Amino acid sequence: MNPVFNQPINIDFPNGISLTIKREDLIHPFVSGNKFRKLKYNLLQAKAENKKTLLTFGGAFSNHIAAVAYAGNEQGLKTIGIIRGDELFDKIEENPTLKFAQENGMQLEFISREEYRLKNEDSFIEKLKEKYGDFYLVPEGGTNELAVKGCEEILTAEDAVFNYVCCAAGTGGTISGLINSALPNQKILGFPALKGDFLNDEIRIFAKKDNWNLISDYHFGGYGKINLELIEFINAFFDENKVPLDPIYTGKMVFGVIDLIHKNYFPAHSKILLIHTGGLQGIQGMNLKLKQKKLPILKIDD
Ligand SMILES: *Cc1c(COP(=O)(O)O)cnc(C)c1O
């Protein structure tokens, strides 16, 4: 694990508000940010149970799929990725995430979207065991008790100075860890990358306090959807702060926080900590889509 640091963002807000970003994206080049945190105790558990194989689920651009493939390979575990969308089976070469996963030894299995919806059902998991043999199951997005435990390690003693902690939310595992480890004076704000309000219930399964809120106005039309305004925001943020943001999660969250500052959502002199949860591996795949649509591409580095 590479060291993580808090980087001040030098934007002058009129009301004394300060922004700082926790560079969890730098934890690891491939198992970045929250996926590293979420896998940590699950990998230990898989080993403790003497499992030889990890099986998990994800979409074609999933940071989680890339992370499991790499981490499994590194730990000497076989990995199986059940991928949403059976039309993708012959598209591995054109998809940087799937290609990376395969190069790291992941066995990719493509299933239809209908079948994919069964992923949490016991009978479906049993069928997978008959087909692939015994495995350690890592849920979609990696969220379970042990993942939340890993995410409780994101905030440290030096973060006590912040009164708001903001993060992007997918399955809600990361925000649950932040909620559990936050101090009483800290408020946690989650920015869902998906439409719909199933997340509140998910978070309540893992989170033990009510010091949090979800802000659902910044999903930009839903998971993986992006527009010119967001691309331009991410590229300008990179130019000004030298912090690359991913277009699926952290770009939308940081856009949302800055927009809310301008709308006076936060009290004057708030100290806001943004959690950079990583996800930069997805930029390459997104840029291929943007080129097809003749939109500007996202900057990864200078
Ligand atoms: C997966 C992911 C998230 C969402 O995390 P959850 O724990 O599923 O809410 C946020 N940011 C990035 C970069 C991710 O890859």
Side-chain angles (χ1 to χ4, degrees):
M1 171 177 175
N2 292 325
V4 167
F5 59 91
N6 287 345
Q7 177 174 344
I9 298 294
N10 295 318
I11 305 178
D12 251 334
F13 295 110
N15 39 10
I17 288 178
S18 75
L19 269 188
T20 302
I21 190 160
K22 187 180 279 296
R23 297 293 307 272
E24 294 264 314
D25 56 309
L26 299 175
I27 284 184
H28 191 280
F30 304 116
V31 194
S32 80
N34 64 348
K35 300 303 182 283
F36 182 97
R37 302 281 184 189
K38 293 168 89 166
L39 281 173
K40 177 180 167 187
Y41 290 106
N42 276 294
L43 291 170
L44 289 173
Q45 184 64 24
K47 292 240 157 140
E49 291 176 19
N50 218 355
K51 302 282 188 188
K52 304 283 180 269
T53 303
L54 303 174
L55 180 139
T56 196
F57 301 91
F61 297 93
S62 164
N63 298 323
H64 170 69
I65 287 290
V68 170
Y70 188 93
N73 196 18
E74 199 177 46
Q75 301 283 321
L77 295 162
K78 181 175 156 55
T79 56
I80 302 171
I82 310 288
I83 309 298
R84 181 179 62 233
D86 44 7
E87 77 285 0
L88 294 166
F89 79 96
D90 60 352
K91 307 263 179 335
I92 297 174
E93 280 304 308
E94 351 173 342
N95 179 305
T97 302
L98 296 178
K99 195 163 173 245
F100 174 84
Q102 193 175 58
E103 280 164 5
N104 280 279
M106 182 175 262
Q107 178 181 341
L108 299 172
E109 299 290 335
F110 298 88
I111 63 175
S112 68
R113 280 148 220 274
E114 294 74 54
E115 227 186 334
Y116 192 86
R117 275 185 218 114
L118 306 172
K119 65 186 177 293
N120 294 328
E121 308 217 342
D122 290 342
S123 57
F124 186 63
I125 302 297
E126 275 316 306
K127 261 180 42 192
L128 292 174
K129 289 216 158 139
E130 280 163 31
K131 196 162 173 193
Y132 302 114
D134 189 39
F135 52 74
Y136 183 86
L137 179 71
V138 185
E140 185 191 40
T143 290
N144 58 16
E145 270 326 306
L146 290 174
V148 172
K149 180 177 168 186
C151 292
E152 289 172 4
E153 295 173 357
I154 295 173
L155 291 178
T156 64
E158 66 163 353
D159 301 324
V161 295
F162 298 103
N163 36 16
Y164 285 91
V165 178
C166 302
C167 73
T171 58
T174 305
I175 190 173
S176 296
L178 294 170
I179 292 166
N180 291 342
S181 61
L183 298 170
N185 61 315
Q186 292 179 320
K187 179 125 192 187
I188 314 295
L189 301 179
F191 291 74
L194 286 81
K195 268 197 281 195
D197 43 25
F198 62 96
L199 245 195
N200 279 293
D201 294 337
E202 282 294 304
I203 294 170
R204 281 193 200 98
I205 296 173
F206 298 108
K208 299 170 185 83
K209 294 186 247 171
D210 55 8
N211 54 344
W212 55 279
N213 239 330
L214 290 182
I215 296 176
S216 320
D217 305 327
Y218 298 98
H219 57 62
F220 285 77
Y223 186 75
K225 298 268 171 23
I226 113 170
N227 64 18
L228 187 59
E229 189 184 17
L230 184 66
I231 299 168
E232 285 176 346
F233 169 78
I234 290 173
N235 284 341
F237 193 84
F238 179 77
D239 286 339
E240 285 152 25
N241 305 293
K242 298 289 162 246
V243 180
L245 300 172
D246 86 290
I248 317 273
Y249 293 104
T250 56
K252 294 180 179 180
M253 179 270 292
V254 177
F255 182 102
V257 172
I258 291 177
D259 194 50
L260 288 176
I261 294 174
H262 290 305
K263 290 178 173 156
N264 294 319
Y265 175 92
F266 297 97
H269 305 291
S270 293
K271 289 189 181 358
I272 305 171
L273 180 66
L274 310 165
I275 308 296
H276 195 320
T277 38
L280 302 175
Q281 72 83 28
I283 290 181
Q284 232 190 323
M286 180 61 86
N287 276 345
L288 293 175
K289 285 206 247 179
L290 292 175
K291 275 184 197 153
Q292 282 172 0
K293 293 186 187 167
K294 307 235 182 307
L295 283 165
I297 61 166
L298 297 154
K299 294 183 186 175
I300 304 178
D301 43 45
D302 285 318

